[in-house]
Amino acid sequence: MHDRLVAFLNEHTQATRRYLLRCGAAGAAAMSVLPLLAEDDRREAALQEAIDKLEAWLTAPDDFRDVSRGKPKPHSLDEAKRKEVGLTRDTWKLEVISDPENRALLRRPLCEKDGTAFTFDDLQKLAETHAVRFAKVMTCLNIGCPLGNGVWEGVPLREVLWLTQPTENLRRVFYYGYHNDDPQQMFRSSLPAGRVLEDLYGLPPVILCYKLNGQWLTPERGGPVRVVVPEAYGFKSIKWLTHVVLSNEWKANDTYGEQNNDVDSPLKTFCDFLNPPAKVAADQPFAVTGFAQVGVSGLTKVQVWMQASDEKWPEDDPHFSKAPWRDAEILAPPTHWGGGLPDDQIPAPTHGFDEKTGRPQSWPLRLTHAHWAALLPGSPAGDYVLRCRTIDAAGVAQPLPRPFHKSGRAAIAKVRLTVAK
Ligand SMILES: Nc1nc2c(c(=O)[nH]1)N[C@H]1C(S)=C(S)[C@@H](COP(=O)(O)O)O[C@H]1N2
Ligand SMILES: [Mo]
């Protein structure tokens, strides 16, 4: 029995070895018992060098790009003034009231005049049992590229909403922040009540956020408390929050809607270049890198295409669906998260991350970003256009399925490239 088994194994192994040898060195190496080489060790030096220059996955709070309105901007007020207007942790007060124009019935509004306004201490008490964290890119619908990627911590807004004991006529929640007591400066956003009460499609909750990357929210990022809406563009995440209004209004009433924006549009999947080369040497392979925003539709591929700039393209293919796109490598989860995260550890629990190991449960993570890299083959001297695009989890290529700019940017990115002799 034993002999026959050995004979069988010998024959089988030899056949396998012969087969693999036909596949060339790569096949033979794959069969060897050497430990698997890390991705990094297998990459071409030029590619690895470009990857090493990429930004960290998390953005430090001070490195976010700032999109703030107000004259003066609330975060520019000095500490004494911020204390006076309730923009410090020890002075912050939130009113959660009924909309006088479209009344929702509340048994117990939280308001200054009744002495029931909600304080930062109240928020921290709720945080002891209800704190949640999730990673998300903050992206301005009008600008397009993420302003930064962070781990946001807060208490679900619904926990505070329930304190008001609503009974009837609650269809919309709108909210705004400190605006220098000038109605002209108010910047308001809104959500259907259902989105506040329930988290569909595996999304994290809408939160009253007080920490970013494990640190208290700074004035610039909207501290002491801002709203963060996981799946939405930045304008839904109101900074310096002071008022939540519970309403029987049934339409969106965001200030951003007044600028022709599609205010119900969730984050799109798209990619763009980071540090693209302007000039490369002829016949030399070269590296390109970038980021991809992982919108609600997910991300399966990033692709790159290099086209001679004088090549004509058929008019009936405006999104270059027939171009010879090449797959780029979507970089694996980093081992260094960055962003000033204490001990560089994703705090546990964080939505989408394993509580024990701190590693992501899937990758890339929806609502965040991923980085990508590709080594392109050497080309003859000339002028070229480099483009990149994403393929989402449904197999749809950027800029589809929602190409309209006023619902968020998803244009196919392009950069010019000179290949010199
Ligand atoms: N109160 C208030 N909240 C606000 C804004 C504002 O001007 N005032 N800008 C919004 C917009 S349009 C965006 S894109 C994000 C930007 O967030 P960040 O400055 O933290 O990057 O904040 C949002 N929250
Ligand atoms: Mo924005």
Side-chain angles (χ1 to χ4, degrees), residues 65-69 140 147 221 226 234 237 239-240 256:
R65 277 174 74 190
D66 182 59
V67 181
S68 298
R69 290 153 193 81
C140 180
L147 306 164
R221 294 282 69 71
R226 85 185 289 178
S237 295
K239 299 191 274 194
W240 318 297
Y256 238 43

Side-chain angles (χ1 to χ4, degrees), residues 31-252:
M31 195 194 70
S32 80
V33 289
L34 288 172
L36 272 181
L37 292 173
E39 280 292 337
D40 290 14
D41 299 336
R42 270 189 268 137
R43 290 194 191 111
E44 296 283 334
L47 187 59
Q48 189 60 48
E49 201 178 302
I51 289 171
D52 291 342
K53 287 193 185 121
L54 285 169
E55 59 190 7
W57 192 71
L58 287 175
T59 312
D62 288 346
D63 293 343
F64 272 62
R65 277 174 74 190
D66 182 59
V67 181
S68 298
R69 290 153 193 81
K71 279 191 182 135
K73 293 182 179 171
H75 62 68
S76 70
L77 301 172
D78 65 25
E79 173 141 8
K81 180 72 181 171
R82 280 190 283 116
K83 268 193 194 297
E84 184 194 319
V85 300
L87 288 185
T88 57
R89 291 193 294 280
D90 54 332
T91 60
W92 181 72
K93 279 200 181 120
L94 175 71
E95 292 201 303
V96 187
I97 53 178
S98 179
D99 175 6
E101 285 165 31
N102 294 282
R103 285 209 166 273
L105 293 183
L106 313 179
R107 287 214 186 98
R108 188 182 178 272
L110 307 178
C111 57
E112 195 93 58
K113 73 170 173 21
D114 297 351
T116 53
F118 187 76
T119 67
F120 199 81
D121 275 352
D122 297 333
L123 186 65
Q124 292 309 294
K125 277 208 191 75
L126 277 181
E128 285 168 16
T129 45
H130 290 94
V132 293
R133 294 182 207 89
F134 54 83
K136 166 195 172 48
V137 280
M138 191 61 67
T139 302
C140 180
L141 184 150
N142 281 329
I143 298 174
C145 299
L147 306 164
N149 182 47
V151 173
W152 307 86
E153 175 178 323
V155 165
L157 173 55
R158 58 177 160 268
E159 299 304 331
V160 180
L161 186 155
W162 284 128
L163 296 178
T164 68
Q165 302 179 20
T167 52
E168 253 180 282
N169 296 346
L170 173 54
R171 288 191 281 177
R172 202 151 192 98
V173 177
F174 64 86
Y175 44 96
Y176 55 90
Y178 179 71
H179 50 279
N180 298 311
D181 297 319
D182 172 3
Q184 297 287 320
Q185 295 188 28
M186 184 198 283
F187 185 73
R188 181 181 60 219
S189 195
S190 78
L191 289 168
R195 173 60 188 102
V196 176
L197 298 178
E198 193 175 3
D199 309 321
L200 301 176
Y201 321 119
L203 291 170
V206 175
I207 58 169
L208 296 181
C209 168
Y210 50 84
K211 277 189 177 177
L212 169 58
N213 296 350
Q215 302 155 52
W216 293 121
L217 204 58
T218 58
E220 196 169 59
R221 294 282 69 71
V225 181
R226 85 185 289 178
V227 170
V228 177
V229 182
E231 72 279 23
Y233 283 97
F235 68 91
K236 293 272 184 196
S237 295
I238 293 288
K239 299 191 274 194
W240 318 297
L241 185 72
T242 57
H243 287 81
V244 173
V245 182
L246 305 182
S247 175
N248 198 27
E249 174 63 89
W250 51 278
K251 300 171 192 153

